[in-house]
Amino acid sequence: MAQNIDWSNLGFGYIKTDKRYVSTYKDGAWDAGTLTGDDMISMSECACVLQYAQTCFEGLKAYRTEDGRIVCFRPDLNASRLADSASYLEMPVFPQDRFVEAVRQVVAANADFVPPYGSGATLYLRPFMFGINPVIGVKPASEFQFRIFCTPVGPYFKGGAKPITIRVSDFDRAAPHGTGHIKAGLNYAMSLHAIVDAHNQGYAENMYLDPATRTYVEETGGANFIFITKDGTLVTPKSSSILPSITRRSLMVVAEKYLGMKVEERPVKLSELKDFAECGLCGTAAVISPVGKVVDHGTDICFPSGMEKMGPWTQKLYDTLTGIQMGRIEAPEGWIVEI
């Protein structure tokens, strides 16, 4: 079946693949876990996930390298971030070594669905966990499922990454002491109205500010910000309610170790935006989406890198990180896991 996929015209959508991984937590322990061909989940109408949104997830990719190997990028960081999310949502932690092993199993079992090198497409993996037993009083579930499915996806941007226009949002993505730092499903449910509203107004994304003072830049609904100063320093916002993006943390290492850039992780004021040379959003799906313009309630903040293409430093960061992921550039120790 996989051979019939038109790799060059894949969108970012769900295609059912052969196998997915399932493990169940019951009576205080995770079972051995298994691969299954069944993509349906059966649960009570009163399952905790349906009533109280007790769920978290991860996203990572498998790639085919130039020499034909299949690899994953830093799955250990996804394992530890899922553990943090689960703990905060009163869910049992799925053991991190088992997480990485489950990723290996799912990719190996669906190897036919890993797109060919050079197609721009990748195999996207979605590990997730949720409370499955009936809960009607507000409390954590006592039984959980951990699952990983995968689906081949096309490049996030068809025809290259054109700089986007985003707006400063009037909505908050997270509460000051809320769940902004974990990958909870409820964070994304909260962002749906804001993103639909942004799209209706002609913007590609929202720039969320810190919920306490609304003067500092935080992130967008699904990506962290990176800024480049006029002297080539990479600046990324620091806040306790930003999701710790694996792509952003990797770009910081790439900037310093591969490109010799100065790197700063610090609070970034909205009033500073006009002083930056380049801006981008970073995440698993797109790696980096260049931002050409931020609209702050009628005021246009235009980055010198323009609306035609990525800025020079953003392009170097993008090329280096994707080169590492695709096996063209030597990776730091432990970043690439071969399947």
Side-chain angles (χ1 to χ4, degrees), residues 143-319:
E143 294 174 19
F144 298 84
Q145 252 190 35
F146 168 77
R147 299 176 74 101
I148 304 177
F149 67 81
C150 63
T151 182
V153 295
Y156 200 73
F157 297 107
K158 286 267 183 262
K162 283 293 245 193
I164 56 175
T165 299
I166 66 175
R167 69 166 184 192
V168 175
S169 182
D170 289 330
F171 300 103
D172 288 331
R173 184 190 145 265
H177 300 284
T179 55
H181 62 296
I182 61 168
K183 210 162 170 64
L186 56 92
N187 293 354
Y188 296 80
M190 275 174 58
S191 74
L192 295 175
H193 175 62
I195 192 64
V196 169
D197 186 66
H199 289 164
N200 287 343
Q201 308 286 334
Y203 301 102
E205 258 295 357
N206 288 293
M207 171 181 278
Y208 292 109
L209 303 179
D210 75 292
T213 72
R214 301 188 56 77
T215 54
Y216 291 94
V217 175
E218 293 246 304
E219 59 162 286
T220 69
N224 283 186
F225 278 103
I226 57 167
F227 299 103
I228 313 289
T229 63
K230 291 182 171 123
D231 64 359
T233 298
L234 173 71
V235 178
T236 179
K238 186 180 177 71
S239 155
S240 60
S241 54
I242 292 177
L243 186 77
S245 159
I246 291 163
T247 307
R248 192 245 316 147
R249 286 182 276 166
S250 303
L251 286 168
M252 290 165 74
V253 175
V254 165
E256 202 165 26
K257 302 277 189 282
Y258 286 71
L259 301 177
M261 298 170 74
K262 206 169 137 219
V263 175
E264 294 177 3
E265 186 180 2
R266 61 171 176 78
V268 175
K269 279 197 151 89
L270 177 61
S271 58
E272 282 183 74
L273 289 194
K274 62 185 187 317
D275 303 325
F276 291 121
E278 301 173 38
C279 172
L281 310 179
C282 61
T284 299
V287 183
I288 304 177
S289 324
V291 175
K293 181 160 74 174
V294 177
V295 180
D296 178 14
H297 300 87
T299 302
D300 289 0
I301 303 161
C302 300
F303 296 101
S305 50
M307 293 300 294
E308 287 310 304
K309 58 182 198 292
M310 280 190 183
W313 282 111
T314 307
Q315 189 70 58
K316 280 182 196 163
L317 287 163
Y318 177 87
D319 291 345

Side-chain angles (χ1 to χ4, degrees), residues 15 18 28 32 49 51 57 105 122 154 163 205 254-255 290 315 322 335:
I15 295 170
D18 293 339
V49 62
Q51 303 309 317
F57 70 97
Q105 288 182 30
T122 50
E205 258 295 357
V254 165
Q315 189 70 58
T322 52
W335 277 25

Side-chain angles (χ1 to χ4, degrees), residues 7 10-15 61 113 115 119-125 151-156 158 285:
W7 300 113
L10 269 181
F12 204 85
Y14 174 77
I15 295 170
K61 287 175 168 179
F113 291 92
S119 63
T122 50
L123 186 72
Y124 184 82
L125 286 99
T151 182
V153 295
Y156 200 73
K158 286 267 183 262

Side-chain angles (χ1 to χ4, degrees), residues 16-30:
K16 184 187 169 185
T17 55
D18 293 339
K19 298 285 184 188
R20 64 274 311 128
Y21 180 91
V22 185
S23 180
T24 301
Y25 181 92
K26 201 172 178 176
D27 302 325
W30 289 104

